[in-house]
Amino acid sequence: MTKKVLLPLGVLVAAAISISLFCYAKLPFGGEPGSPGAHQYMDWQSMSDEERVAHFRDLGQIEFKDFAELQRNVDFPVLEPTNTLGRRLLGIFQPAGRPIVDVTALFENGLQICICRNETPPDYQNYLKQVAEDKVAGYWKSDGTPKIIKINGIEAICDDPGFNDIEGRKVPRPGYICWYDGGANYSIYGDKIPVSDLLAVAKSMMNNSKEGSGPKSQNNL
């Protein structure tokens, strides 16, 4: 039996386009190389801002005009960014036909924030252990390695933009920072945006946190 290749965080951003990578209890995403998700992600990277918004609207998604409207419609505190690297909010989208538990905020020029309701914090340490094992076994198909950091006292996992090897093709991977706070998973993705820049967005959101309930770490930024 062939073992499934565990695709690195960020490969399936567009395949599961409206959910955070850590919406699921089991980490990380599993998938076969060359899966439809990989091709969709390649298409997503090539889309313009207008095409990305149209994609969500074509799916019949519920749309919120801003974070204030989103907050009025959910039962958990939503952290709103005050620093979006100068990128304008294009829309906040939620899959129709189910409770509002996962949303995607699209901004100009490849910035994306996913918020997913989750009662259980993710186990980043266990995920990194799994990554190390997969590297030894040859299943890790990324040129990057995620790391755990601490931002404003909250544990987060991150990696810079790069590429994943899928069936011998270099598939672009966005930079990302993911963390848990107040009963929700937050994931910031940026096409070709390094973690050093995404940190400013994350810090602006964490400054609005009233709970600071995420796991703790030692590497403070």
Side-chain angles (χ1 to χ4, degrees):
M1 180 180 294
T2 302
K3 178 180 177 180
K4 282 188 175 182
V5 176
L6 297 173
L7 299 181
L9 297 172
V11 177
L12 301 183
V13 173
I17 214 160
S18 62
I19 62 176
S20 161
L21 284 176
F22 289 105
C23 280
Y24 296 98
K26 184 177 180 181
L27 295 177
F29 275 110
E32 298 290 350
S35 65
H39 299 293
Q40 289 174 24
Y41 181 66
M42 295 176 73
D43 292 339
W44 180 253
Q45 285 279 64
S46 67
M47 287 182 181
S48 67
D49 291 337
E50 294 75 15
E51 289 172 329
R52 294 184 183 197
V53 171
H55 173 82
F56 277 96
R57 290 175 176 164
D58 288 346
L59 292 175
Q61 302 232 335
I62 299 169
E63 185 172 354
F64 304 99
K65 65 179 181 180
D66 54 31
F67 281 85
E69 183 181 11
L70 171 62
Q71 182 64 84
R72 290 193 295 270
N73 287 275
V74 298
D75 63 355
F76 59 94
V78 174
L79 304 183
E80 179 178 358
T82 56
N83 185 342
T84 60
L85 307 178
R87 290 162 165 81
R88 179 174 57 91
L89 177 66
L90 301 174
I92 302 175
F93 301 90
Q94 152 72 26
R98 61 187 180 189
I100 300 174
V101 294
D102 56 84
V103 297
T104 300
L106 288 181
F107 296 82
E108 293 176 317
N109 302 321
L111 181 65
Q112 179 172 320
I113 298 175
C114 297
I115 305 170
C116 180
R117 187 78 166 102
N118 195 343
E119 296 293 340
T120 305
D123 188 343
Y124 298 134
Q125 293 288 352
N126 186 61
Y127 174 67
L128 292 189
K129 180 181 178 181
Q130 187 173 358
V131 168
E133 292 174 353
D134 288 338
K135 281 190 172 185
V136 172
Y139 294 113
W140 185 251
K141 302 298 182 180
S142 171
D143 64 356
T145 301
K147 65 180 180 179
I148 294 175
I149 58 176
K150 188 170 73 170
I151 311 170
N152 291 7
I154 298 176
E155 188 176 87
I157 193 166
C158 64
D159 198 7
D160 283 309
F163 294 90
N164 297 315
D165 185 346
I166 298 180
E167 290 187 334
R169 292 172 298 170
K170 293 176 67 175
V171 179
R173 183 190 68 255
Y176 64 84
I177 297 176
C178 305
W179 75 96
Y180 179 89
D181 194 355
N185 295 306
Y186 290 87
S187 301
I188 304 173
Y189 306 107
D191 296 353
K192 301 179 182 178
I193 304 176
V195 168
S196 57
D197 289 344
L198 296 178
L199 275 170
V201 183
K203 287 180 178 180
S204 77
M205 297 174 72
M206 292 179 179
N207 286 338
N208 293 328
S209 173
K210 296 180 181 179
E211 296 194 21
S213 60
K216 306 306 177 185
S217 177
Q218 299 300 314
N219 304 314
N220 196 27
L221 290 178

mmCIF file of all heavy atoms in Angstrom, residues 167 170 177 187:
data_model
loop_
_atom_site.group_PDB
_atom_site.id
_atom_site.type_symbol
_atom_site.label_atom_id
_atom_site.label_comp_id
_atom_site.label_asym_id
_atom_site.label_seq_id
_atom_site.Cartn_x
_atom_site.Cartn_y
_atom_site.Cartn_z
ATOM 1 N N GLU A 167 4.085 15.850 -8.395
ATOM 2 C CA GLU A 167 4.326 15.126 -9.649
ATOM 3 C C GLU A 167 5.429 15.779 -10.472
ATOM 4 O O GLU A 167 5.336 15.901 -11.691
ATOM 5 C CB GLU A 167 3.033 15.005 -10.472
ATOM 6 C CG GLU A 167 2.004 14.068 -9.871
ATOM 7 C CD GLU A 167 0.823 13.841 -10.792
ATOM 8 O OE1 GLU A 167 0.532 14.727 -11.636
ATOM 9 O OE2 GLU A 167 0.198 12.770 -10.685
ATOM 10 N N LYS A 170 6.737 22.302 -9.833
ATOM 11 C CA LYS A 170 6.876 23.244 -8.723
ATOM 12 C C LYS A 170 5.589 24.047 -8.599
ATOM 13 O O LYS A 170 5.285 24.892 -9.445
ATOM 14 C CB LYS A 170 8.078 24.165 -8.962
ATOM 15 C CG LYS A 170 9.416 23.442 -8.914
ATOM 16 C CD LYS A 170 10.562 24.386 -9.246
ATOM 17 C CE LYS A 170 10.731 25.446 -8.156
ATOM 18 N NZ LYS A 170 11.917 26.289 -8.419
ATOM 19 N N ILE A 177 0.821 32.322 8.345
ATOM 20 C CA ILE A 177 0.897 32.266 9.802
ATOM 21 C C ILE A 177 -0.445 31.753 10.290
ATOM 22 O O ILE A 177 -1.493 32.245 9.868
ATOM 23 C CB ILE A 177 1.173 33.643 10.430
ATOM 24 C CG1 ILE A 177 2.529 34.192 9.981
ATOM 25 C CG2 ILE A 177 1.122 33.566 11.958
ATOM 26 C CD1 ILE A 177 2.814 35.600 10.490
ATOM 27 N N SER A 187 -5.808 31.900 10.149
ATOM 28 C CA SER A 187 -4.747 31.622 9.188
ATOM 29 C C SER A 187 -4.630 32.805 8.236
ATOM 30 O O SER A 187 -5.614 33.220 7.625
ATOM 31 C CB SER A 187 -5.042 30.344 8.392
ATOM 32 O OG SER A 187 -5.177 29.236 9.252
#
